[in-house]
Amino acid sequence: MSSNNFPKAVLWDMDGTLIDSEPYWMLSETRLAKQYGSTWTEKDALQLIGNDLFHASDLLRNKFGIEDMTTREVIDRLTEEVIEQLRTKLPWRPGALELLVELKKAGIKTALVTMSMRTMALTVADQIDFQAFDVVVAGDDVTNGKPHPEPYLRAAELLGVAPEDCLAFEDSPTGLSSAEAAGCHAIGITNIINLPTGPNRRIIASLTEVTIENLSALKIDNEDQ
């Protein structure tokens, strides 16, 4: 595969990569903790970034001693609060919207691959004034969430492309592991947590560094590994 036709698709994580929604999640988690007389620190919140919401909500129920809500009800509560904040304005990560526009103009396929619920993913996608994503794979669309490869494998399958022909943008170690395990070219975008380096990934400072012209340079060749 030459660099001239790479990538065939770009797969996007949502929270912290596409939009700066992590502070919204932290606020909602803090409110939940306060309701149940517990505490929730920034350090606690950072440990959940990139995790499957079912797993994360189980942890919250156990930590806060929540007995009157199921795991799914906790997910719905958190999701509804975050959606309410996102409907006011999408807090784009630097360079994300600009790159989405370029990808659309170039005819490169795109997917949104998030562990947030589909209702939230579609809320974000529907607020963009063009069809930014060809497919959406959300946390309630898969059996196994990140770091399992299923979300990225599902996205590539729905797009009709091979995972090795895809770039995957992520901001968390969990997400990078998922993309790597699926066989995608995993690109970490530094945000609020440190991203460990590795032979099968690239770490860059910002999406503002990425354009259609240099997109193929992000390909991870065998010699990089």
Side-chain angles (χ1 to χ4, degrees):
M1 181 176 61
S2 70
S3 61
N4 291 332
N5 62 2
F6 178 85
K8 292 183 178 177
V10 175
L11 316 181
W12 293 78
D13 171 55
M14 186 171 72
D15 298 294
T17 301
L18 182 75
I19 57 173
D20 198 15
S21 51
E22 296 295 1
Y24 295 167
W25 285 105
M26 292 180 188
L27 177 60
S28 187
E29 291 156 5
T30 301
R31 288 173 178 167
L32 186 65
K34 187 175 295 186
Q35 177 181 334
Y36 286 89
S38 188
T39 58
W40 189 247
T41 67
E42 182 178 1
K43 182 179 179 181
D44 291 328
L46 292 179
Q47 292 176 350
L48 290 188
I49 288 178
N51 277 272
D52 177 282
L53 265 180
F54 290 92
H55 173 65
S57 294
D58 271 340
L59 291 177
L60 294 178
R61 287 185 70 238
N62 291 332
K63 181 174 178 64
F64 303 158
I66 298 174
E67 297 180 352
D68 59 339
M69 282 196 290
T70 65
T71 295
R72 183 59 198 237
E73 287 172 336
V74 170
I75 290 173
D76 291 343
R77 154 81 177 270
L78 298 175
T79 297
E80 286 168 8
E81 290 188 1
V82 174
I83 285 176
E84 184 178 341
Q85 297 176 83
L86 290 175
R87 282 187 175 135
T88 303
K89 184 179 180 181
L90 287 183
W92 290 99
R93 292 290 299 148
L97 179 58
E98 293 82 356
L99 183 56
L100 274 175
V101 170
E102 286 194 66
L103 292 170
K104 185 70 174 180
K105 289 179 178 178
I108 297 175
K109 295 179 179 181
T110 55
L112 189 59
V113 186
T114 176
M115 289 299 90
S116 290
M117 296 294 97
R118 191 169 187 85
T119 53
M120 180 173 163
L122 294 180
T123 296
V124 171
D126 290 346
Q127 281 183 252
I128 305 172
D129 59 8
F130 60 95
Q131 187 182 344
F133 303 104
D134 297 290
V135 302
V136 172
V137 175
D140 44 349
D141 294 329
V142 295
T143 302
N144 303 290
K146 301 174 186 178
H148 194 279
E150 183 183 347
Y152 280 105
L153 290 174
R154 174 76 62 85
E157 179 183 13
L158 290 172
L159 289 172
V161 298
E164 58 266 27
D165 291 330
C166 299
L167 280 178
F169 289 129
E170 276 283 355
D171 76 310
S172 72
T174 303
L176 284 170
S177 294
S178 174
E180 286 176 332
C184 301
H185 299 257
I187 311 301
I189 315 297
T190 304
N191 191 356
I192 58 178
I193 56 176
N194 291 326
L195 297 178
T197 58
N200 299 312
R201 64 179 63 172
R202 294 185 190 277
I203 310 298
I204 63 176
S206 171
L207 283 168
T208 59
E209 301 176 6
V210 183
T211 65
I212 288 294
E213 286 70 27
N214 65 20
L215 202 61
S216 63
L218 294 176
K219 179 182 178 185
I220 301 171
D221 294 314
N222 290 334
E223 55 264 29
D224 298 323
Q225 301 175 25

